[in-house]
Amino acid sequence: MNKKWKHVIATSFILGSLIGLSGCMDAEAENKDKKKAPEVIAIPVEVALLKQGDISSNYITTATLEAKEEAFVVARASGIIEEIFVEEGDYVKKGQPLAKLEQERYILTLTRAKADLRGIKKELDKINKVYDKKLVSDDTFDKLTAQYESAKASVELAELDLKETTIVAPISGFIAERNAKVGNLTESFQRQRMFHVVQQKELHGIVHLPEKELPRIHVGQQASLNLIALQNKKVTAIVERISPVIDAQTGTFKVTLRVPNEENTLKSGMFAQVKLNYDTKHNATLLPRRALLHIDDKINVFVVNQGKAEKIAVQIGYEEGDYVEITQGLTGDEQVVITGHQNLKDQAPVEIVNN
């Protein structure tokens, strides 16, 4: 074999080795690219189905219950308190005695007034017998008649004073407060009240609403009261009165609610959360409120469609509690994402993980 062929063979061997080495490198590079390809991970979410039900439009506010009728009792007569017949918490009827003052002075005053009246009446009877015969002047007769009327009025005043030494309940209700004590001196019509009587068979709840709510309120409208002091007991009230004027300083108007309390479980002064019912829709399409996302001034939800999240814009109607009414955007058969949707993107793969 000459040198020329040896050179050709050697060159061919080197080229073949290079080609084989290049093929191995390409295969290794291809395997590395396959290993680096990203793995698709489905995002776990919880979903809920839409349901049909009732939902109401409400206005939420607060109120303090007040007694529909109450009276602050003061003494009309002066004197020492001799007896007290009731205690706080007692139920009293209108006209029932609450306390009594010492009466001796008033009894004596009445006795004297009656004696004066009898004396003047005797004189007047004598004058009447001779007045028709014109034996007594008109002036004398008129003066004696006036004295008789005055004495008669004095007796009536003395009787009234004696009667007022017994302090009575001006209304039926419960004794909410008793400040009177036996032995204390009380003055007539003093500012300090002896008793506070409240009628709680029916209470009032006073609320002040913004003026924009005026067209939506009417007499007879229902309201729901939530009493925190009674383990969130629910009570139904009725709008009884609506003030015809708007307070210029606060921009609100006064609404009075009638709160029935036949069992006397509610007390004046209790704090209540008030829910005024404007309207109720039946068989509305309802969705849990937490499914909603507010993005770019639009309300959106994510629904699961063939393993992917699909963002849909919706319109809502009434809102109450944990639910909202869906008026547009959903047909009612969708699986709507309620958990795990805060950072979710449109068409992202998802996995439903509801219990």
Side-chain angles (χ1 to χ4, degrees), residues 115-132:
D116 292 342
L117 178 62
R118 285 195 301 270
I120 295 174
K121 188 175 184 302
K122 288 180 180 180
E123 291 293 327
L124 185 60
D125 289 341
K126 293 178 181 179
I127 294 295
N128 282 330
K129 292 179 181 179
V130 295
Y131 178 69
D132 293 337

Side-chain angles (χ1 to χ4, degrees), residues 55-120:
I55 192 168
S56 299
S57 173
N58 302 295
Y59 184 85
I60 310 298
T61 184
T62 58
T64 301
L65 299 184
E66 300 178 2
K68 181 180 179 180
E69 295 182 358
E70 62 179 343
F72 298 103
V73 183
V74 297
R76 295 185 176 185
S78 300
I80 303 296
I81 300 174
E82 189 175 68
E83 291 183 83
I84 294 177
F85 307 117
V86 295
E87 291 294 340
E88 292 178 355
D90 290 348
Y91 183 81
V92 296
K93 294 183 178 181
K94 182 177 180 179
Q96 180 177 332
L98 305 179
K100 188 177 74 170
L101 307 181
E102 291 183 349
Q103 298 180 337
E104 288 81 2
R105 183 180 297 275
Y106 295 95
I107 293 173
L108 291 174
T109 301
L110 176 59
T111 301
R112 182 178 61 186
K114 287 181 176 180
D116 292 342
L117 178 62
R118 285 195 301 270
I120 295 174

Side-chain angles (χ1 to χ4, degrees), residues 12 35 89 119 128 134 139 144 161 201 286 310 334 342:
S12 299
K35 291 180 180 179
N128 282 330
K134 303 298 182 180
D139 184 58
L144 195 57
D161 288 341
K201 290 292 183 183
L286 306 182
E310 181 181 350
E334 295 88 351
Q342 297 298 331

Side-chain angles (χ1 to χ4, degrees), residues 257-290:
L257 304 176
R258 183 174 73 249
V259 186
N261 187 31
E262 293 298 328
E263 298 179 357
N264 291 309
T265 54
L266 309 181
K267 306 299 179 185
S268 177
M270 277 187 171
F271 180 80
Q273 293 179 338
V274 180
K275 183 188 293 184
L276 278 164
N277 180 258
Y278 290 151
D279 185 33
T280 298
K281 288 185 179 180
H282 304 287
N283 296 320
T285 302
L286 306 182
L287 179 69
R289 184 191 297 270
R290 56 180 177 157

Side-chain angles (χ1 to χ4, degrees), residues 19-33:
I19 291 170
L21 180 60
S22 176
C24 291
M25 293 177 66
D26 289 341
E28 290 179 2
E30 185 177 351
N31 291 335
K32 288 181 179 180
D33 290 340

Side-chain angles (χ1 to χ4, degrees), residues 138-179:
D138 291 340
D139 184 58
T140 301
F141 178 79
D142 291 341
K143 286 182 179 180
L144 195 57
T145 301
Q147 290 178 6
Y148 173 78
E149 294 297 332
S150 176
K152 185 178 177 181
S154 296
V155 171
E156 292 175 352
L157 283 173
E159 289 176 341
L160 181 61
D161 288 341
L162 179 61
K163 181 181 177 182
E164 289 179 344
T165 58
T166 300
I167 293 90
V168 299
I171 62 172
S172 297
F174 289 92
I175 303 297
E177 185 179 359
R178 176 181 74 83
N179 295 317

